[in-house]
Structure formats: structure tokens, C-alpha cells
Amino acid sequence: MTITAIERAPAALARGRGGGGPAPKRTVVAYGFWIFLLSDFVLFSGLFAAYAVLSANTAGGPTGAELFNLRNVFIETMCLLLSSYTAGLGALSAERRRQDRFLIFAALTFVLGAAFLVIEAREFARMVSEGAGPSRSAFLSSFFTLVGTHGVHVTGGLIFLLYMVAQVVAKGLRGAVLRRLLCFSLFWHALDIVWVGVFTLVYLMGAR
Amino acid sequence: MDGDDRVFDDRTPGVEEYEPTATYLSYTAGLGLAVLLTIMSFVVAQTNLLWSPGVPMGLIVLAFAQIGVHLVFFLHLGSGPDHTNNVVALAFGVLIVFLVITGSVWIIANLNANMMDMPVHLQH
């Protein structure tokens, strides 16, 4: 690199290296939220580790192979994946100030996320009614803790989504609202990443 | 540095600011790849396509591939200089997750191996 190139683009060299003034607010907000999401992954890693350690300790109770219905899990997975897709398209529409499209994609995201939760809740209710509740064995305690924590996150995400729709309707797609929307879509995509770990480790490996 | 007009800024995670025309396409491509990998996972788990002792390893590989697809196509994480901060944070997160999970499994597996059998009168 020559001296002239440095003189031509001083901001370009300074940014990202701690110089050149603060980054745009949008970048700072999303980076902070990214750090939060990574800490959430660390939380889940503890629950994954507990499940991996305890999954064989069924205390004479039912095993995963007897309990899990992979057809339901596949439908749940597709619901969450499609909702991640519609959330992404909704975020794009919002970036392009297309409020009508954003609201349609937000509604689709909500319906798909709620469908995921309904299937999961019915699955939990069926297991508890069959005597396979969280108090039956260490395997089931860790199962309900891990999958339930993910379900609680999805519930929180749906509340977050409703709150964002209300803000978009009330305030329009202005800067602060767009930054919060960005955080929502990061959160929603991150939940899908955690679910990949859940269906692989818990359901697919557990059902074998 | 290549162009004159390109600004090397910190990239915002979750946003694809420099390719405004490619975004719908990239989400759709990501969805297609993720669906494909999900179906492969379910097929591998339920059939004997893979040598059966290798199935857990195959599932882990497919899961990592799908997580990669999510990170690149949905969270728009890239390898450019404007992504350094996001990727470094992710790398640290991955390190902690790896330490917690493999460390726990390793240690507890050793404890299990060293555990004496429980006497019959203590088993309920």
C-alpha cells in the first residue's frame, strides 16, 4: 500500500481498527445484540452438555426411541425454518420501507412460530400424560429443560414480534424501529440455529 | 485496497448492505440448502444409507453444515475485513460452547467408567 492510498481513504483505514470515530449506531446495536446471542448459545451449551451426559440414565423409564415421534419433529423443524425465512424477507421489506409487505411476512412468521409451539406443547402434554414427565428420570429432566428452554425462547420471540408489529404500526419504519427489528430477526435466526442442535442431538440421535 | 469508492466499514451482523439486489435470492438459496440438509439428516437417521456406527458422526457433520448455511445466508456472516469483529466474537462463542460440551462429556464419561456398581439393596 502506498502513501497516496492512505491519504485518499483515511476513514477506510481507521474504521474497524478503533479509530476514525464511532461506528454507526446500527452497527453498534447489532453488534451488542450479537454478543448477547452468543452468550445465549453458551447458556444452551450447558443444557446440551447436561442432556448429553444424562440421556442414557432413564432409570428404567421410557427411552427416547419409545417417546419421540420423528414425523412431528420434522413438521416442527420445517415450521421453524420457514418462519426464519419469512422473518428474513420481512426484515428485507422493512429495510426497503415496504410496510405492507413487512406486516404480511410478520403475520406468516407469527403463524409458523405459533404452529411450532402448539406441536411442541401437545408433544409435552402427551409425554406427561403417559407418565414420562420431567420427574420420571434424569434423561427426561434434562430433555424437558433443554427443549423447554428453547420453547420459552420461541415464546419470547413471538412476544418480541408482536411488540415490533405494534411499533411499526404506531411509529412507522423509522431508524430506531428498524434497529429493533434487526435485533428481532437476529434473535429469530439464532433460535433456528439452536433448534438444529436440538433435533440432531435429542431427536435424531435419541430415536435410534 | 482495490476500488476508490468502496468504504471499509464495520459490517452489521444480519445485514447485507453491499448487495441489495442479491438478498431475496440469498434467503431463498439459504432456505433451499437448509431444507435439503434437514431432509438428509432425517433420512440418514432413519435408514441404513450410512454405515450404522457412522450415523452419529454423519448427523453431526450435517448439523454443522446447516448451522453454517444459517450463519452465511440468514445472518449474512462473511469473511471480508468488514466482518472481523462479528467473526471474532463468534469464534470466541464457539470456543466456549466447545469447551463446555466436550469438557462435560469427557469428564462425566470418565467418572462413569470409574464408578463402582451400586449394591443391589440400594437400587430401588
Side-chain angles (χ1 to χ4, degrees), chain B residues 33-124:
Chain B
L33 284 172
V35 167
L36 192 69
L37 287 165
T38 304
I39 291 173
M40 280 169 74
S41 292
F42 277 80
V43 168
V44 162
Q46 288 176 287
T47 62
N48 290 319
L49 276 179
L50 280 186
W51 180 56
S52 59
V55 166
M57 192 45 73
L59 289 174
I60 290 172
V61 169
L62 286 168
F64 275 111
Q66 191 170 347
I67 289 172
V69 166
H70 282 257
L71 287 173
V72 171
F73 289 93
F74 289 167
L75 289 163
H76 307 304
L77 227 57
S79 57
D82 41 7
H83 261 309
T84 311
N85 286 335
N86 304 332
V87 174
V88 166
L90 175 67
F92 181 66
V94 169
L95 171 71
I96 301 296
V97 167
F98 174 78
L99 286 179
V100 169
I101 293 179
T102 58
S104 305
V105 171
W106 185 17
I107 290 169
I108 302 293
N110 269 296
L111 284 179
N112 267 343
N114 291 329
M115 198 81 102
M116 283 197 299
D117 282 335
M118 195 184 280
V120 178
H121 67 273
L122 284 179
Q123 291 174 359
H124 59 93

Side-chain angles (χ1 to χ4, degrees), chain A residues 62 66-68 123-133 136 140:
Chain A
E66 293 158 22
L67 287 170
F68 300 150
E123 196 79 12
F124 279 11
R126 181 182 61 80
M127 287 172 70
V128 172
S129 71
E130 288 174 0
R136 179 62 189 84
L140 284 165

